[in-house]
Coordinates of all heavy atoms in Angstrom, one line a residue:
M17 N 73.1 -137.6 62.1 CA 72.0 -136.6 62.0 C 72.3 -135.4 62.8 O 72.8 -135.4 63.8 CB 70.7 -137.4 62.5 CG 69.6 -136.5 62.8 SD 68.1 -137.4 63.3 CE 67.5 -136.3 64.5
G18 N 71.9 -134.2 62.2 CA 72.0 -133.0 63.0 C 70.8 -133.1 64.0 O 69.7 -132.7 63.6
E19 N 71.0 -133.7 65.1 CA 69.9 -134.0 66.1 C 69.1 -132.7 66.4 O 69.7 -131.6 66.7 CB 70.5 -134.5 67.4 CG 71.4 -135.7 67.2 CD 70.6 -137.0 67.1 OE1 69.5 -137.1 67.6 OE2 71.1 -138.0 66.5
P20 N 67.8 -132.8 66.5 CA 67.0 -131.7 67.0 C 67.5 -131.4 68.5 O 68.0 -132.3 69.1 CB 65.6 -132.2 67.0 CG 65.6 -133.2 65.9 CD 67.0 -133.9 66.0
S21 N 67.3 -130.2 69.0 CA 67.8 -129.8 70.2 C 67.4 -130.7 71.4 O 68.1 -130.9 72.3 CB 67.4 -128.4 70.5 OG 66.0 -128.2 70.5
S22 N 66.2 -131.3 71.3 CA 65.8 -132.2 72.4 C 64.7 -133.1 72.0 O 64.0 -132.8 71.0 CB 65.4 -131.4 73.6 OG 64.1 -130.8 73.4
R23 N 64.5 -134.2 72.7 CA 63.3 -135.1 72.4 C 62.0 -134.3 72.5 O 61.1 -134.6 71.7 CB 63.4 -136.3 73.3 CG 62.3 -137.3 72.8 CD 62.5 -138.6 73.6 NE 61.4 -139.5 73.2 CZ 61.6 -140.7 72.8 NH1 62.8 -141.3 72.8 NH2 60.6 -141.5 72.5
D24 N 61.9 -133.4 73.5 CA 60.7 -132.7 73.6 C 60.4 -131.8 72.4 O 59.3 -131.7 71.9 CB 60.7 -131.8 74.9 CG 60.6 -132.6 76.2 OD1 60.2 -133.7 76.2 OD2 61.1 -132.0 77.2
H25 N 61.4 -131.2 71.9 CA 61.3 -130.4 70.7 C 60.9 -131.3 69.5 O 59.9 -130.9 68.8 CB 62.6 -129.7 70.3 CG 62.6 -129.0 69.0 ND1 62.0 -127.8 68.8 CD2 63.2 -129.4 67.8 CE1 62.1 -127.5 67.5 NE2 62.8 -128.4 66.9
L26 N 61.5 -132.4 69.4 CA 61.1 -133.4 68.3 C 59.7 -133.8 68.5 O 58.9 -133.9 67.5 CB 62.1 -134.5 68.3 CG 62.0 -135.5 67.1 CD1 62.1 -134.8 65.8 CD2 63.0 -136.6 67.3
S27 N 59.3 -134.2 69.7 CA 57.9 -134.6 69.9 C 56.9 -133.5 69.5 O 55.9 -133.8 68.9 CB 57.7 -134.9 71.4 OG 58.4 -136.1 71.8
H28 N 57.2 -132.3 69.9 CA 56.3 -131.1 69.5 C 56.3 -131.0 68.0 O 55.2 -130.8 67.4 CB 56.8 -129.8 70.2 CG 56.0 -128.6 69.9 ND1 54.8 -128.4 70.4 CD2 56.3 -127.6 69.0 CE1 54.3 -127.3 69.9 NE2 55.2 -126.8 69.0
L29 N 57.4 -131.0 67.3 CA 57.5 -130.9 65.9 C 56.6 -132.0 65.2 O 55.8 -131.7 64.3 CB 58.9 -131.1 65.4 CG 59.1 -131.1 63.9 CD1 58.8 -129.8 63.2 CD2 60.6 -131.5 63.6
I30 N 56.7 -133.2 65.7 CA 55.9 -134.3 65.2 C 54.4 -134.1 65.4 O 53.6 -134.3 64.5 CB 56.4 -135.7 65.8 CG1 57.8 -136.0 65.2 CG2 55.4 -136.8 65.4 CD1 58.5 -137.1 66.0
S31 N 54.1 -133.7 66.6 CA 52.7 -133.5 66.9 C 52.1 -132.4 66.0 O 51.0 -132.6 65.5 CB 52.6 -133.1 68.4 OG 51.2 -133.0 68.8
E32 N 52.8 -131.3 65.8 CA 52.4 -130.3 64.9 C 52.2 -130.8 63.5 O 51.2 -130.5 62.8 CB 53.4 -129.1 64.9 CG 53.3 -128.3 66.2 CD 52.0 -127.6 66.4 OE1 51.5 -126.9 65.5 OE2 51.5 -127.7 67.5
K33 N 53.2 -131.5 63.0 CA 53.1 -132.1 61.6 C 51.9 -133.0 61.5 O 51.3 -133.0 60.4 CB 54.4 -132.8 61.2 CG 55.5 -131.8 60.9 CD 56.7 -132.5 60.4 CE 57.7 -131.6 59.7 NZ 58.7 -132.2 58.9
I34 N 51.6 -133.8 62.5 CA 50.5 -134.7 62.4 C 49.2 -133.9 62.3 O 48.3 -134.1 61.5 CB 50.5 -135.7 63.6 CG1 51.6 -136.7 63.4 CG2 49.1 -136.3 63.7 CD1 51.8 -137.6 64.6
H35 N 49.1 -132.9 63.2 CA 47.9 -132.0 63.2 C 47.7 -131.2 61.9 O 46.6 -130.9 61.5 CB 47.9 -131.1 64.4 CG 47.7 -131.8 65.7 ND1 46.5 -132.6 66.0 CD2 48.5 -132.0 66.8 CE1 46.6 -133.1 67.2 NE2 47.8 -132.8 67.7
Q36 N 48.8 -130.9 61.3 CA 48.8 -130.1 60.0 C 48.6 -131.0 58.8 O 48.6 -130.6 57.7 CB 50.0 -129.2 59.9 CG 50.1 -128.2 60.9 CD 51.4 -127.4 60.9 OE1 52.3 -127.7 60.2 NE2 51.5 -126.5 61.8
G37 N 48.6 -132.4 59.0 CA 48.5 -133.3 57.9 C 49.8 -133.6 57.1 O 49.8 -134.2 56.1
E38 N 50.9 -133.1 57.7 CA 52.2 -133.3 57.0 C 52.8 -134.7 57.4 O 53.7 -135.2 56.7 CB 53.2 -132.2 57.4 CG 52.8 -130.9 56.9 CD 53.7 -129.8 57.4 OE1 54.9 -130.0 57.6 OE2 53.2 -128.7 57.7
L39 N 52.4 -135.3 58.5 CA 52.8 -136.6 58.9 C 51.5 -137.4 59.2 O 50.5 -136.8 59.6 CB 53.6 -136.6 60.2 CG 55.1 -136.3 60.1 CD1 55.7 -136.3 61.4 CD2 55.8 -137.2 59.2
F40 N 51.5 -138.7 59.1 CA 50.4 -139.6 59.4 C 50.7 -140.3 60.8 O 51.9 -140.3 61.2 CB 50.2 -140.6 58.3 CG 51.4 -141.4 57.9 CD1 51.7 -142.6 58.5 CD2 52.2 -140.9 56.9 CE1 52.9 -143.3 58.1 CE2 53.3 -141.6 56.5 CZ 53.7 -142.8 57.1
L41 N 49.7 -140.7 61.4 CA 49.9 -141.5 62.7 C 50.4 -142.9 62.3 O 49.9 -143.5 61.3 CB 48.6 -141.7 63.4 CG 48.0 -140.5 64.1 CD1 46.6 -140.7 64.6 CD2 48.9 -140.0 65.3
L42 N 51.4 -143.3 63.0 CA 52.0 -144.6 62.7 C 51.1 -145.7 63.4 O 50.8 -145.6 64.6 CB 53.4 -144.8 63.3 CG 54.5 -143.9 62.6 CD1 55.8 -144.1 63.4 CD2 54.6 -144.3 61.2
A43 N 50.6 -146.6 62.6 CA 49.7 -147.6 63.2 C 50.5 -148.7 63.9 O 50.0 -149.4 64.8 CB 48.9 -148.3 62.0
T44 N 51.7 -148.9 63.5 CA 52.6 -149.9 64.1 C 54.0 -149.4 64.1 O 54.3 -148.4 63.5 CB 52.6 -151.2 63.2 OG1 53.4 -151.0 62.0 CG2 51.2 -151.7 62.9
D45 N 54.9 -150.1 64.8 CA 56.3 -149.8 64.8 C 57.1 -150.4 63.6 O 58.3 -150.3 63.5 CB 57.0 -150.4 66.1 CG 57.1 -149.3 67.1 OD1 57.1 -148.1 66.8 OD2 57.3 -149.7 68.3
R46 N 56.4 -151.1 62.8 CA 57.0 -151.9 61.7 C 57.7 -150.9 60.7 O 57.2 -149.9 60.3 CB 56.0 -152.7 60.9 CG 56.7 -153.6 59.9 CD 55.7 -154.5 59.2 NE 54.8 -153.6 58.4 CZ 53.7 -154.0 57.8 NH1 53.3 -155.3 58.0 NH2 52.9 -153.2 57.1
C47 N 59.0 -151.2 60.5 CA 59.8 -150.5 59.6 C 61.0 -151.3 59.1 O 61.2 -152.4 59.6 CB 60.3 -149.2 60.3 SG 61.4 -149.5 61.6
W48 N 61.7 -150.8 58.2 CA 62.9 -151.5 57.7 C 64.1 -150.6 58.0 O 64.0 -149.4 57.7 CB 62.8 -151.8 56.2 CG 61.7 -152.8 55.9 CD1 61.9 -154.1 55.8 CD2 60.3 -152.5 55.8 NE1 60.7 -154.7 55.6 CE2 59.7 -153.7 55.6 CE3 59.5 -151.3 55.9 CZ2 58.3 -153.8 55.4 CZ3 58.2 -151.5 55.7 CH2 57.6 -152.7 55.5
S49 N 65.2 -151.1 58.5 CA 66.4 -150.4 58.9 C 67.5 -150.7 58.0 O 67.7 -151.9 57.6 CB 66.8 -150.6 60.3 OG 65.7 -150.2 61.2
G50 N 68.3 -149.7 57.7 CA 69.5 -149.9 56.9 C 70.5 -148.8 57.1 O 70.2 -147.8 57.7
P51 N 71.6 -148.8 56.4 CA 72.6 -147.7 56.5 C 72.0 -146.5 55.9 O 71.2 -146.5 54.9 CB 73.8 -148.2 55.7 CG 73.3 -149.4 55.0 CD 72.1 -149.9 55.6
A52 N 72.4 -145.3 56.4 CA 72.0 -144.0 56.0 C 72.3 -143.9 54.5 O 73.4 -144.2 54.0 CB 72.6 -142.9 56.8
T53 N 71.4 -143.3 53.7 CA 71.6 -143.2 52.3 C 71.5 -141.7 51.8 O 71.2 -141.4 50.7 CB 70.5 -144.0 51.5 OG1 69.2 -143.6 51.9 CG2 70.7 -145.5 51.8
N54 N 71.6 -140.8 52.8 CA 71.6 -139.3 52.5 C 70.3 -138.8 51.9 O 70.2 -137.9 51.2 CB 72.8 -139.0 51.5 CG 73.2 -137.5 51.7 OD1 73.1 -136.9 52.7 ND2 73.6 -136.9 50.6
Q55 N 69.2 -139.5 52.3 CA 67.9 -139.0 51.9 C 67.3 -138.1 53.0 O 67.8 -138.1 54.1 CB 67.0 -140.2 51.7 CG 67.4 -141.1 50.5 CD 66.4 -142.1 50.2 OE1 65.2 -141.8 49.9 NE2 66.8 -143.4 50.3
T56 N 66.3 -137.4 52.7 CA 65.7 -136.4 53.6 C 64.7 -137.2 54.5 O 63.8 -137.9 54.1 CB 64.9 -135.3 52.9 OG1 65.9 -134.7 52.0 CG2 64.3 -134.3 53.8
C57 N 64.9 -136.9 55.8 CA 64.0 -137.5 56.9 C 62.7 -136.7 56.8 O 62.6 -135.5 56.9 CB 64.6 -137.3 58.2 SG 63.6 -137.8 59.6
I58 N 61.6 -137.5 56.7 CA 60.2 -136.8 56.6 C 59.9 -136.1 57.9 O 59.1 -135.2 57.9 CB 59.2 -137.9 56.2 CG1 57.8 -137.1 55.9 CG2 59.0 -138.9 57.4 CD1 56.8 -138.0 55.3
V59 N 60.5 -136.5 59.0 CA 60.2 -136.0 60.3 C 60.9 -134.6 60.5 O 60.2 -133.6 60.8 CB 60.5 -136.9 61.5 CG1 60.3 -136.3 62.8 CG2 59.6 -138.2 61.4
C60 N 62.2 -134.6 60.5 CA 63.0 -133.4 60.8 C 63.4 -132.6 59.6 O 63.9 -131.5 59.8 CB 64.2 -133.8 61.7 SG 65.5 -134.6 60.9
G61 N 63.4 -133.2 58.4 CA 63.8 -132.5 57.2 C 65.3 -132.5 56.9 O 65.7 -131.9 56.0
K62 N 66.0 -133.2 57.8 CA 67.5 -133.3 57.6 C 67.9 -134.5 56.9 O 67.2 -135.5 57.0 CB 68.2 -133.1 58.9 CG 67.9 -131.8 59.6 CD 68.6 -131.6 60.9 CE 68.2 -130.3 61.5 NZ 68.6 -130.1 62.8
A63 N 69.0 -134.5 56.2 CA 69.5 -135.7 55.5 C 70.0 -136.8 56.5 O 70.5 -136.5 57.6 CB 70.7 -135.3 54.6
T64 N 69.8 -138.0 56.0 CA 70.2 -139.2 56.8 C 71.7 -139.5 56.3 O 71.9 -140.3 55.5 CB 69.3 -140.4 56.6 OG1 69.3 -140.7 55.2 CG2 67.9 -140.2 57.1
T65 N 72.6 -138.8 56.9 CA 74.0 -138.8 56.4 C 74.9 -139.9 57.1 O 75.9 -140.2 56.6 CB 74.7 -137.5 56.6 OG1 74.6 -137.1 58.0 CG2 74.0 -136.4 55.7
E66 N 74.5 -140.4 58.3 CA 75.3 -141.3 59.0 C 74.4 -142.2 59.9 O 73.3 -141.9 60.2 CB 76.4 -140.7 59.8 CG 75.8 -139.7 60.8 CD 76.9 -138.9 61.5 OE1 77.8 -138.4 60.8 OE2 76.8 -138.7 62.8
G67 N 75.0 -143.3 60.3 CA 74.2 -144.3 61.1 C 73.2 -145.0 60.4 O 73.3 -145.4 59.2
V68 N 72.0 -145.2 61.0 CA 71.0 -146.0 60.5 C 69.8 -145.2 60.2 O 69.4 -144.2 60.9 CB 70.5 -147.1 61.6 CG1 69.3 -147.9 61.1 CG2 71.7 -148.0 61.9
E69 N 69.1 -145.5 59.0 CA 67.9 -144.8 58.7 C 66.8 -145.9 58.7 O 67.1 -147.1 58.6 CB 67.9 -144.1 57.3 CG 68.0 -145.0 56.2 CD 68.1 -144.3 54.8 OE1 68.6 -143.2 54.7 OE2 67.6 -144.9 53.8
R70 N 65.6 -145.4 58.8 CA 64.4 -146.3 58.8 C 63.5 -146.0 57.6 O 63.3 -144.8 57.3 CB 63.7 -146.2 60.1 CG 64.5 -146.7 61.2 CD 63.8 -147.3 62.3 NE 64.6 -148.0 63.3 CZ 64.4 -148.0 64.6 NH1 63.3 -147.5 65.1 NH2 65.2 -148.7 65.4
E71 N 63.0 -147.0 57.0 CA 62.0 -146.8 55.9 C 60.7 -147.3 56.5 O 60.5 -148.4 57.0 CB 62.4 -147.7 54.8 CG 61.7 -147.5 53.5 CD 62.2 -148.3 52.3 OE1 63.2 -147.8 51.7 OE2 61.8 -149.5 52.2
V72 N 59.7 -146.4 56.3 CA 58.3 -146.7 56.9 C 57.3 -146.6 55.7 O 57.3 -145.7 54.9 CB 58.0 -145.6 57.9 CG1 56.6 -145.8 58.5 CG2 59.0 -145.5 59.0
E73 N 56.4 -147.6 55.7 CA 55.4 -147.6 54.7 C 54.3 -146.5 55.0 O 53.9 -146.4 56.1 CB 54.7 -149.0 54.6 CG 53.8 -149.1 53.4 CD 53.3 -150.5 53.2 OE1 53.6 -151.4 54.0 OE2 52.5 -150.7 52.2
S74 N 54.0 -145.7 54.0 CA 53.0 -144.7 54.2 C 51.6 -145.2 53.8 O 51.5 -146.3 53.2 CB 53.3 -143.5 53.3 OG 53.4 -143.8 52.0
P75 N 50.6 -144.5 54.3 CA 49.2 -145.0 54.0 C 48.9 -145.2 52.5 O 48.1 -146.0 52.1 CB 48.3 -143.9 54.6 CG 49.2 -143.3 55.6 CD 50.6 -143.4 55.1
D76 N 49.6 -144.5 51.6 CA 49.4 -144.6 50.2 C 50.1 -145.7 49.5 O 50.1 -145.9 48.3 CB 49.7 -143.2 49.5 CG 51.1 -142.9 49.5 OD1 52.0 -143.7 50.0 OD2 51.5 -141.8 49.0
G77 N 50.9 -146.5 50.4 CA 51.6 -147.6 49.9 C 53.0 -147.3 49.5 O 53.8 -148.2 49.2
G78 N 53.4 -146.1 49.5 CA 54.8 -145.7 49.3 C 55.6 -145.8 50.6 O 55.2 -146.4 51.6
F79 N 56.8 -145.3 50.5 CA 57.7 -145.4 51.7 C 58.3 -144.0 52.0 O 58.5 -143.2 51.1 CB 58.8 -146.4 51.5 CG 58.3 -147.8 51.4 CD1 57.9 -148.4 50.2 CD2 58.2 -148.5 52.6 CE1 57.4 -149.7 50.2 CE2 57.8 -149.8 52.6 CZ 57.4 -150.4 51.4
V80 N 58.5 -143.7 53.3 CA 59.2 -142.5 53.7 C 60.4 -142.9 54.5 O 60.5 -144.0 55.1 CB 58.2 -141.6 54.5 CG1 57.1 -141.1 53.7 CG2 57.7 -142.3 55.8
I81 N 61.4 -142.0 54.6 CA 62.6 -142.2 55.3 C 62.7 -141.4 56.5 O 62.3 -140.2 56.5 CB 63.8 -141.9 54.4 CG1 63.8 -142.7 53.1 CG2 65.2 -142.0 55.1 CD1 63.9 -144.2 53.3
T82 N 63.2 -142.0 57.6 CA 63.4 -141.3 58.9 C 64.7 -141.7 59.5 O 65.3 -142.7 59.2 CB 62.3 -141.6 59.9 OG1 62.5 -142.9 60.4 CG2 60.9 -141.4 59.3
H83 N 65.2 -140.8 60.4 CA 66.3 -141.2 61.3 C 65.8 -142.1 62.3 O 64.6 -142.1 62.6 CB 66.9 -140.0 62.0 CG 67.5 -139.0 61.1 ND1 66.9 -137.8 60.7 CD2 68.7 -138.9 60.5 CE1 67.7 -137.1 59.9 NE2 68.8 -137.8 59.8
R84 N 66.6 -142.9 62.9 CA 66.2 -143.9 63.9 C 65.5 -143.1 65.1 O 64.4 -143.5 65.5 CB 67.3 -144.7 64.4 CG 66.9 -145.7 65.5 CD 68.0 -146.6 65.9 NE 69.2 -145.8 66.4 CZ 70.4 -146.2 66.4 NH1 70.7 -147.4 66.0 NH2 71.4 -145.4 66.8
E85 N 66.1 -142.1 65.6 CA 65.5 -141.3 66.7 C 64.2 -140.7 66.3 O 63.2 -140.7 67.1 CB 66.5 -140.3 67.2 CG 65.9 -139.5 68.4 CD 66.7 -138.3 68.8 OE1 67.8 -138.1 68.3 OE2 66.2 -137.6 69.7
C86 N 64.1 -140.2 65.1 CA 62.9 -139.6 64.6 C 61.8 -140.6 64.6 O 60.6 -140.3 65.0 CB 63.1 -138.9 63.3 SG 64.2 -137.4 63.3
H87 N 62.1 -141.8 64.1 CA 61.1 -142.8 64.0 C 60.6 -143.2 65.4 O 59.4 -143.4 65.6 CB 61.6 -144.0 63.2 CG 60.6 -145.2 63.2 ND1 60.6 -146.2 64.0 CD2 59.5 -145.3 62.4 CE1 59.6 -147.0 63.8 NE2 58.9 -146.5 62.8
Q88 N 61.5 -143.4 66.3 CA 61.1 -143.8 67.7 C 60.2 -142.8 68.3 O 59.2 -143.1 68.9 CB 62.4 -144.0 68.5 CG 63.2 -145.2 68.1 CD 64.5 -145.3 68.8 OE1 65.1 -144.3 69.2 NE2 65.1 -146.5 68.9
T89 N 60.6 -141.5 68.1 CA 59.8 -140.4 68.7 C 58.4 -140.3 68.0 O 57.4 -140.1 68.6 CB 60.5 -139.1 68.7 OG1 61.8 -139.3 69.3 CG2 59.8 -138.0 69.4
W90 N 58.4 -140.5 66.7 CA 57.2 -140.4 65.9 C 56.2 -141.6 66.4 O 55.0 -141.4 66.6 CB 57.5 -140.6 64.4 CG 56.4 -140.5 63.4 CD1 55.1 -140.1 63.6 CD2 56.5 -140.8 62.0 NE1 54.4 -140.1 62.5 CE2 55.2 -140.5 61.5 CE3 57.5 -141.2 61.2 CZ2 55.0 -140.7 60.1 CZ3 57.3 -141.4 59.9 CH2 56.0 -141.2 59.3
S91 N 56.8 -142.7 66.6 CA 56.0 -143.9 67.1 C 55.4 -143.6 68.5 O 54.2 -143.8 68.7 CB 56.9 -145.1 67.1 OG 56.1 -146.2 67.6
H92 N 56.2 -143.0 69.3 CA 55.8 -142.7 70.7 C 54.6 -141.6 70.6 O 53.6 -141.8 71.3 CB 57.0 -142.1 71.5 CG 56.6 -141.7 72.9 ND1 56.4 -142.6 73.9 CD2 56.4 -140.5 73.4 CE1 56.1 -141.9 75.0 NE2 56.1 -140.6 74.7
V93 N 54.8 -140.6 69.9 CA 53.8 -139.5 69.7 C 52.5 -140.1 69.1 O 51.4 -139.8 69.6 CB 54.3 -138.3 68.9 CG1 53.2 -137.4 68.6 CG2 55.4 -137.6 69.6
S94 N 52.6 -141.0 68.1 CA 51.4 -141.6 67.5 C 50.7 -142.4 68.6 O 49.4 -142.3 68.6 CB 51.9 -142.5 66.4 OG 52.3 -141.8 65.3
R95 N 51.4 -143.2 69.4 CA 50.7 -144.0 70.5 C 50.0 -143.0 71.4 O 48.9 -143.3 71.8 CB 51.7 -144.8 71.2 CG 52.2 -146.0 70.4 CD 53.0 -147.0 71.2 NE 54.1 -146.5 71.9 CZ 55.3 -146.4 71.4 NH1 55.6 -146.7 70.2 NH2 56.3 -145.9 72.2
E96 N 50.7 -142.0 71.8 CA 50.0 -141.0 72.8 C 48.8 -140.4 72.2 O 47.8 -140.3 72.9 CB 51.0 -139.9 73.1 CG 52.1 -140.3 74.1 CD 53.0 -139.2 74.5 OE1 53.0 -138.1 73.8 OE2 53.6 -139.3 75.6
L97 N 48.8 -140.0 70.9 CA 47.7 -139.3 70.3 C 46.5 -140.3 70.1 O 45.4 -139.9 70.1 CB 48.1 -138.7 69.0 CG 49.0 -137.5 69.1 CD1 49.5 -137.0 67.7 CD2 48.3 -136.3 69.8
E98 N 46.8 -141.6 69.9 CA 45.8 -142.6 69.8 C 45.4 -143.2 71.1 O 44.5 -144.1 71.1 CB 46.2 -143.6 68.7 CG 46.1 -143.1 67.3 CD 46.1 -144.2 66.3 OE1 46.8 -145.2 66.5 OE2 45.5 -144.0 65.3
G99 N 46.1 -142.9 72.2 CA 45.8 -143.5 73.5 C 46.2 -144.9 73.6 O 45.6 -145.7 74.3
R100 N 47.2 -145.4 72.8 CA 47.6 -146.8 72.8 C 48.8 -146.9 73.8 O 49.6 -145.9 73.9 CB 48.1 -147.2 71.5 CG 47.0 -147.3 70.5 CD 47.5 -147.8 69.1 NE 48.1 -146.7 68.5 CZ 49.1 -146.8 67.6 NH1 49.6 -148.0 67.3 NH2 49.6 -145.8 67.0
S101 N 49.0 -148.0 74.4 CA 50.2 -148.3 75.2 C 51.2 -149.0 74.3 O 50.9 -149.6 73.3 CB 49.9 -149.1 76.4 OG 49.5 -150.4 76.0
D102 N 52.4 -149.1 74.8 CA 53.5 -149.9 74.0 C 53.1 -151.3 73.9 O 53.3 -151.9 72.8 CB 54.8 -149.8 74.8 CG 55.4 -148.4 74.7 OD1 55.1 -147.7 73.9 OD2 56.3 -148.2 75.6
S103 N 52.4 -151.9 74.8 CA 52.0 -153.3 74.7 C 50.9 -153.6 73.7 O 50.8 -154.7 73.2 CB 51.6 -153.8 76.1 OG 50.4 -153.2 76.5
Q104 N 50.2 -152.5 73.3 CA 49.2 -152.7 72.3 C 49.7 -152.5 70.8 O 49.0 -152.8 69.9 CB 48.1 -151.7 72.5 CG 47.3 -151.9 73.7 CD 46.3 -150.7 74.0 OE1 46.7 -149.6 74.0 NE2 45.1 -151.1 74.2
L105 N 51.0 -152.2 70.7 CA 51.6 -151.9 69.4 C 51.9 -153.2 68.7 O 52.5 -154.1 69.3 CB 52.8 -151.1 69.6 CG 53.3 -150.3 68.4 CD1 52.2 -149.3 68.0 CD2 54.6 -149.5 68.8
T106 N 51.6 -153.3 67.5 CA 51.9 -154.5 66.7 C 53.3 -154.3 66.1 O 53.6 -153.2 65.6 CB 50.9 -154.6 65.5 OG1 49.6 -154.5 66.0 CG2 51.1 -155.9 64.8
R107 N 54.1 -155.3 66.1 CA 55.5 -155.1 65.6 C 55.6 -155.9 64.3 O 55.3 -156.8 64.0 CB 56.5 -155.6 66.6 CG 56.3 -154.7 67.9 CD 57.6 -154.6 68.6 NE 57.3 -153.9 69.8 CZ 57.8 -152.8 70.2 NH1 58.6 -152.2 69.4 NH2 57.5 -152.2 71.3

């Protein structure tokens, strides 16, 4: 992945997208992982060209693709915005 410049930058991007309705809050960490398939990451907008990508179920029942780091940061930001701790997260 063409990594965003820093985790702080990625966290800010995710927070902005959530507030603008472009991303939803993740209710859980549940996802499916597999080899990168060159699809566009919903978080950073870059292709998943190498490594592992994650597939996340969206509220409408569809699925979105993310990079592993993007998913981890999205999950962290979602927990912060909802005031949840890691131990309260359903896996």
Side-chain angles (χ1 to χ4, degrees):
M17 162 180 144
E19 304 277 337
S21 58
S22 72
R23 187 172 176 130
D24 288 340
H25 171 76
L26 187 56
S27 293
H28 178 74
L29 174 67
I30 291 167
S31 187
E32 288 296 311
K33 284 187 163 195
I34 289 171
H35 290 298
Q36 294 171 0
E38 296 175 34
L39 282 178
F40 50 92
L41 288 171
L42 292 176
T44 72
D45 260 344
R46 188 176 64 192
C47 65
W48 294 265
S49 297
T53 58
N54 204 34
Q55 294 189 58
T56 303
C57 173
I58 192 172
V59 174
C60 71
K62 296 180 181 171
T64 58
T65 57
E66 56 188 44
V68 174
E69 70 180 29
R70 295 207 171 149
E71 190 174 271
V72 179
E73 188 171 3
S74 62
D76 66 5
F79 290 91
V80 296
I81 301 298
T82 70
H83 294 100
R84 182 175 54 203
E85 179 186 356
C86 290
H87 178 261
Q88 290 169 337
T89 306
W90 185 11
S91 180
H92 177 78
V93 170
S94 291
R95 287 191 305 272
E96 284 184 339
L97 291 174
E98 287 196 328
R100 293 179 284 151
S101 69
D102 289 340
S103 63
Q104 293 173 308
L105 202 61
T106 312
R107 297 205 188 246

